Each structure stands twice: as C-alpha cells, then as structure tokens.
Amino acid sequence: MASQAEEDLDGIRDSGDQRRIAKKIDSIADKIEDDIFTAEQATKKRLGKGWSPMLQSRAGDYRLWFVQGRDTEAGEEGNLYLCRVLEKEDQMKLRGLDINPDTYL
C-alpha cells in the first residue's frame, strides 16, 4: 500500500465505508493469490480506456486505484499496489490528467 493510499484511508471516518473498502481489497488480493484472476480482471477496470497503467475497482462511493509493480519504476514485479482511495467526485477531478503511478509509490 502506497503512503498516499494510507493517507486517503485515514481520512475516511465512516466505519461502514472502511469495512467495505477493506473487504474489497481483501477480495482482490484473494482472487489474485489464488490465481483465479489476473490483476486487471480482479480490479475490473483500467483507467483511461486501456492506455493507463492504473487499475480501478469500486467500493461503494469510493474508487480504489492500483498499479502492478511491473508498470512502475519503483514497484516490484509480481506485486499489486494500492495507490489511492478516492471518492467518486475527487476521482472525477483527476480525469483526463496523465496519471503517473510512480508519483504514488
């Protein structure tokens, strides 16, 4: 988990949202570890219609951004990193920007 994602999570005060996000993260990790899905299949969506290395998954009103280590300079091959946890409105403000995942690792 990237430090920015930890900050994002610390800012979430609703315990129901915290549980929902934790459950989603655990579910994604389990699917990948058990070789049920690839990281892209487990997260369900790639930002930027396929051109971005960032992967996204929804957890209620929140968007979880992940990146595979192989797609970064700072990450390790075989690892999936949680980079951001954003409310939908905050994520929409970042749409169209060239998001570099190394910024978050």
Side-chain angles (χ1 to χ4, degrees):
M1 182 180 308
S3 60
Q4 182 62 56
E6 288 178 3
E7 282 183 40
D8 294 342
L9 287 169
D10 287 343
I12 298 170
R13 298 290 172 230
D14 184 272
S15 61
D17 287 337
Q18 291 173 347
R19 283 191 302 275
R20 189 176 300 111
I21 291 166
K23 184 177 178 180
K24 177 61 91 170
I25 293 168
D26 290 344
S27 172
I28 290 169
D30 290 345
K31 289 175 184 176
I32 294 169
E33 288 172 8
D34 294 341
D35 289 327
I36 296 172
F37 294 114
T38 64
E40 189 163 353
Q41 291 168 328
T43 55
K44 307 253 191 268
K45 183 178 180 182
R46 185 172 289 278
L47 290 180
K49 299 188 186 334
W51 59 263
S52 175
M54 302 294 281
L55 302 171
Q56 175 183 276
S57 190
R58 290 179 53 201
D61 292 334
Y62 288 88
R63 305 303 184 258
L64 312 178
W65 285 5
F66 297 89
V67 68
Q68 296 179 81
R70 70 170 189 233
D71 293 332
T72 68
E73 291 180 22
E76 294 182 28
E77 177 74 29
N79 287 346
L80 182 66
Y81 298 92
L82 176 62
C83 297
R84 294 297 310 260
V85 178
L86 300 164
E87 288 187 89
K88 183 178 179 180
E89 297 79 29
D90 293 333
Q91 182 226 346
M92 297 302 282
K93 293 175 188 174
L94 297 174
R95 287 188 75 157
L97 299 178
D98 184 15
I99 300 167
N100 180 350
D102 285 307
T103 303
Y104 300 115
L105 294 186

